[in-house]
Amino acid sequence: MSLAVINYHQGMSRWEPNARGRLLQAALELYVERGFEQTTVAEIAKLAGLTERTFFRYFADKREVLFWGAAALQELLVSTVAGAPDSEAPITVIGTAIEAAGAVFQEGREGALLRQSVIAANAELQERELIKLASLASAMADALRKRGVSDPGASLSAEAGIAVLKIAFERWINETSPQDLPQLIRELFAELKVVTGAT
Amino acid sequence: MSLAVINYHQGMSRWEPNARGRLLQAALELYVERGFEQTTVAEIAKLAGLTERTFFRYFADKREVLFWGAAALQELLVSTVAGAPDSEAPITVIGTAIEAAGAVFQEGREGALLRQSVIAANAELQERELIKLASLASAMADALRKRGVSDPGASLSAEAGIAVLKIAFERWINETSPQDLPQLIRELFAELKVVTGAT
């Protein structure tokens, strides 16, 4: 069912239920259909049945529609690291955090697929995505340091975790019959141990 | 001795000895002094005692002055991976390649320091740097696959190698009495083994 149909049935109320979700879905639909560059905020708002002003209440610009979840993802990773039992090894703590992120992606696979196809088609968005990953690694390393983990162990564990997330996500997003993402992440951490242990 | 003095003594010959090196040095000097955004190609060429036309014979734009070495670096990494003995484990092969890159950085520490300070001051350049690192990881993973290494081992080894390079470089560039970079890289690979092997 297209968004236009949904909006028709919902009508245009002054109270805007799930405005963010509607804007997100409309934006992804347009980015995929017409391309990111060719889509305007006005078009996104129109398809979502909302005003441009409402759009800017939720997103700084049309790029941020694709990255608004980054702050929540970072918060999830950092709080998972912070909340892990004291006795756990840094790489185990990072593994738990990355698995938690994987579970979130898995819940929204359809949106993740669309988002990924938009990002893959645009060099500027790919750069933004890499910045996001680097920031996540840096935030997790900081969270480990707050647990008393020293460097280079903190940085190495965090960077290794982001490498696993990146590889697991790419594999999972390209699968037609997707595996369980948290499980895939666990397997990749196990494989990383094998790979780096080779002499 | 400033470049202006060098140019005065050398005069302006029609044959332009080491034009690339002179442009590089002039660009870094101006980027550090005035900022990357505020510097023009005309100013770089003037300080190097060369014409704008000569500048564009060597570099596509003022950003590429900071990244022209990326192709050579990638070639070094890929050829080191390709040339390693068949019997070596993927992570050992990657370690050798990253150490070779470290040796190159070490030879040009002064330039690396200036370059790093310019990049650290500019978000767009940082994004470009992350793209470069991602490309290097991807190229090394491909080179491992050509050796018959399967995934996810190839991707994991390559990404782990880039993580080590990133952390080693950051540490080394911020040291006032810098350690031997290839040695630091070896230590970080050993530490990565310890970190990822923890259960």
Side-chain angles (χ1 to χ4, degrees), chain B residues 17-195:
Chain B
N18 189 24
R20 187 193 297 276
R22 284 156 63 190
L23 289 164
L24 270 170
Q25 203 180 329
L28 280 175
E29 196 169 316
L30 290 169
Y31 295 166
V32 169
E33 266 179 38
R34 306 184 186 178
F36 174 76
E37 293 289 356
Q38 287 72 46
T39 300
T40 65
V41 167
E43 290 166 336
I44 296 167
K46 192 180 171 196
L47 181 57
L50 297 166
T51 63
E52 282 190 67
R53 199 175 151 183
T54 302
F55 177 94
F56 289 114
R57 207 177 297 148
Y58 291 95
F59 304 106
D61 53 41
K62 67 176 184 173
R63 196 178 71 159
E64 284 315 297
V65 179
L66 297 164
F67 294 97
W68 78 278
L73 181 59
Q74 180 162 323
E75 174 53 30
L76 172 67
L77 292 171
V78 166
S79 65
T80 306
V81 169
D86 285 348
S87 58
E88 282 191 353
I91 197 73
T92 310
V93 172
I94 294 293
T96 306
I98 299 293
E99 276 180 48
V104 170
F105 292 135
Q106 185 146 283
E107 275 173 37
R109 179 172 164 92
E110 212 169 318
L113 265 168
L114 293 179
R115 180 180 177 280
Q116 192 65 13
S117 72
V118 173
I119 289 175
N122 183 297
E124 188 211 329
L125 297 176
Q126 285 165 42
E127 296 190 2
R128 179 74 179 73
E129 181 79 348
L130 288 173
I131 288 276
K132 189 187 83 178
L133 290 174
S135 304
L136 294 177
S138 177
M140 286 200 299
D142 278 345
L144 281 177
R145 283 181 208 111
K146 284 193 188 133
R147 289 171 60 88
V149 179
S150 58
D151 269 315
S155 307
L156 281 169
S157 304
E159 292 283 351
I162 290 299
V164 164
L165 178 61
K166 195 177 152 189
I167 295 167
F169 184 83
E170 273 169 23
R171 175 172 281 216
W172 174 78
I173 207 78
N174 289 313
E175 281 169 341
T176 41
S177 308
Q179 301 169 66
D180 181 70
L181 183 54
Q183 170 65 23
L184 178 56
I185 287 167
R186 274 192 295 281
E187 287 168 14
L188 284 180
F189 271 102
E191 181 73 18
L192 180 68
K193 182 179 169 176
V194 172
V195 160

Side-chain angles (χ1 to χ4, degrees), chain A residues 76-77 80 91-106 161 164-165 180-187 189:
Chain A
L76 172 67
L77 292 171
T80 306
I91 197 73
T92 309
V93 171
I94 293 293
T96 305
I98 298 294
E99 276 180 47
V104 170
F105 292 136
Q106 185 147 283
V164 164
L165 177 62
D180 181 71
L181 183 54
Q183 170 64 21
L184 178 56
I185 287 168
R186 274 192 295 280
E187 286 168 15
F189 270 102

